[in-house]
Amino acid sequence: MSTTSTTEAALADAGRRSRVEKLARLTQRNGALVILLCLIVVSAFAFPTFASAGNLSQIALQAAFLAPVALGLTFVIFTGGIDLSVGSVFALGGVLAAWASQYGFLAALLVPLIVCTLIGLVQGAIVAFTSIPSFIVTLAGLLFARGLLLALTEEGSETYKVPGDSAFLELSRGSFLGLGFPVWIVIVLFAIGVLVLHRTSYGSTLLAIGGQPDAARLMGLPVLRSTLIVFAVSGTMAGLAGALTASYTASGVTTLGVGLELTAIAAVVLGGTLLTGGAGTVVGSLVGVVLLQVVANLINRMGLTNSNWQAVVNGAVLLVVAVAQVLLSRVQAQERQRRRGGEADAPKPT
C-alpha cells in the first residue's frame, strides 16, 4: 500500500473515532433530555390529561421548588465538590422566611437569603483554606443547619405561619402568562447560570478547577475565591428554594428538606454533570429536575401514592444514568487515546 493510501486510511480512521467520541459526549450530556421527551410523548398517549396545560404547569411549578437547589449544586459539582447541607439549609430557609413574614415581604425574603448565604460562605471558606473534603464540611453544615432549625422551632414543636394577608404569599401563588412566579424565577436564574458558565471566565474557571485543580492553581486561576463564591451561591439557592416553599405552604414546615440533597444531586447527575467535576451543563440540571417531577407525576397517576415508589424509581433511573455516564466517559477516553496513537503512528507525508 502506498504512503498516500496509508495516510488517507489513518485520517479516515481518526475521523471515525472523532465522531464516536462526539456522539458519546453528546449522549452523555443530552441523554436525559431524550428520555424526558420520550416519556412525555408516551405519557400523553397513556394518560389523556397528562398533556393538559393545567397538569404541565403544575409539573413546572413543583419543579421550581427543587430547581434552585439543583442549580446551586451544579456549580459546586463543577468544581469537583459536593454540598450535602442543602436539604437542611432549604428547611432552615423556609422556617426563617415564615418567621420573618410577620415583618413584611422584604424581611421574609432577605432573612433566609442572608442567613443561608452566610452558612454557604463559611462552608466554602473551610473547604478553600483548610483543604478538608467538602463532603465532610457540608455534612457538618447539614447537622448545624438542622440543629439551628430545631432550636428556632422548640425541637420542631412550633410551626411559624405566614399571615394570610401577607404579600409574601404572592411570591409563589401569583402567575404570569399561565405560569407561576416561581417558574419565572427559575427561568431567570437558569438563564443567568447559562451566561455565567458559557460567557464568563468564572464559568471556565470552575470547570478547570473540577478537571485539574492542581493545574488550575499553577495557571494562577482564583481557586480560593471561586470556591468561596460557589458554596455561598449554593447556600443562597437553597435558602431561596426554602423561602418559595414557605410562601407556597404559608408556613415553615420543619420536616421538609430531609433527603432533598440526594434528590438534587440525582437531578444534576441525570442532567449529565459528572460527579468528579470538570464537565456538565446548567440546562441539563434543569432537565433532570423536570424529569424527576414527570416521573413523580406518572407514579401518582398510576395510583402508587406511596412516596417509597418514587424513591425506588428515582434510584433505578439514577443508577442507570450513572452507569451510562461511566461507560460513555470510558468510550470518550478510549477514542481520544486511540486517535492520538493513530496520529502519532501515521506516516508523515513527504
Side-chain angles (χ1 to χ4, degrees):
M1 183 179 293
S2 65
T3 302
T4 303
S5 300
T6 303
T7 303
E8 291 177 350
L11 291 175
D13 186 53
R16 181 194 63 79
R17 290 170 180 168
S18 178
R19 289 191 295 271
V20 171
E21 180 187 346
K22 290 179 180 179
L23 180 60
R25 183 167 60 249
L26 187 65
T27 303
Q28 183 183 47
R29 293 186 176 182
N30 300 290
L33 179 59
V34 174
I35 295 173
L36 175 61
L37 294 176
C38 293
L39 194 60
I40 289 176
V41 172
V42 172
S43 302
F45 283 102
F47 303 98
T49 59
F50 176 84
S52 64
N55 186 58
L56 293 179
S57 63
Q58 185 63 25
I59 290 175
L61 181 62
Q62 294 301 320
F65 298 112
L66 174 63
V69 181
L71 177 61
L73 261 176
T74 300
F75 282 92
V76 173
I77 295 176
F78 281 163
T79 67
I82 199 71
D83 189 351
L84 297 179
S85 69
V86 290
S88 295
V89 173
F90 165 88
L92 177 62
V95 169
L96 290 173
W99 170 80
S101 63
Q102 60 185 310
Y103 302 107
F105 176 86
L106 284 179
L109 187 60
L110 293 179
V111 169
L113 292 184
I114 293 172
V115 173
C116 295
T117 300
L118 287 175
I119 292 175
L121 187 63
V122 171
Q123 292 182 140
I126 296 174
V127 172
F129 293 106
T130 67
S131 298
I132 298 176
S134 57
F135 176 89
I136 297 176
V137 173
T138 58
L139 180 60
L142 179 155
L143 298 175
F144 171 81
R146 185 63 64 175
L148 181 58
L149 165 67
L150 294 175
L152 292 173
T153 59
E154 301 295 333
E155 300 297 325
S157 61
E158 183 175 354
T159 301
Y160 296 106
K161 300 289 185 180
V162 179
D165 59 348
S166 175
F168 181 60
L169 296 175
E170 285 299 308
L171 182 64
S172 65
R173 299 182 181 183
S175 63
F176 177 70
L177 297 179
L179 293 177
F181 287 159
V183 179
W184 290 109
I185 292 173
V186 166
I187 291 173
V188 172
L189 289 175
F190 273 81
I192 295 174
V194 170
L195 291 176
V196 169
L197 179 62
H198 297 288
R199 300 297 181 184
T200 68
S201 59
Y202 179 71
S204 57
T205 297
L206 296 181
L207 294 178
I209 293 172
Q212 294 289 340
D214 294 333
R217 292 187 181 90
L218 292 175
M219 291 170 60
L221 295 178
V223 175
L224 297 181
R225 184 179 65 191
S226 299
T227 302
L228 281 171
I229 293 174
V230 81
F231 277 94
V233 170
S234 180
T236 303
M237 292 296 100
L240 175 61
L244 290 174
T245 302
S247 173
Y248 186 72
T249 60
S251 63
V253 182
T254 58
T255 57
L256 291 180
V258 177
L260 182 70
E261 61 279 352
L262 301 181
T263 304
I265 292 172
V268 174
V269 174
L270 286 173
T273 297
L274 297 179
L275 278 174
T276 52
T281 66
V282 170
V283 175
S285 296
L286 181 58
V287 171
V289 170
V290 176
L291 178 59
L292 292 179
Q293 292 303 319
V294 169
V295 170
N297 188 274
L298 291 177
I299 289 176
N300 290 333
R301 287 179 176 274
M302 289 186 291
L304 303 175
T305 55
N306 192 327
S307 60
N308 293 330
W309 281 108
Q310 183 176 344
V312 169
V313 174
N314 289 346
V317 172
L318 178 60
L319 180 61
V320 171
V321 172
V323 172
Q325 277 196 357
V326 172
L327 295 177
L328 290 170
S329 297
R330 289 179 180 176
V331 169
Q332 295 179 57
Q334 290 173 357
E335 292 301 326
R336 283 195 298 268
Q337 185 176 3
R338 289 173 182 173
R339 189 172 69 250
R340 291 167 183 166
E343 292 173 352
D345 296 337
K348 301 297 185 293
T350 58

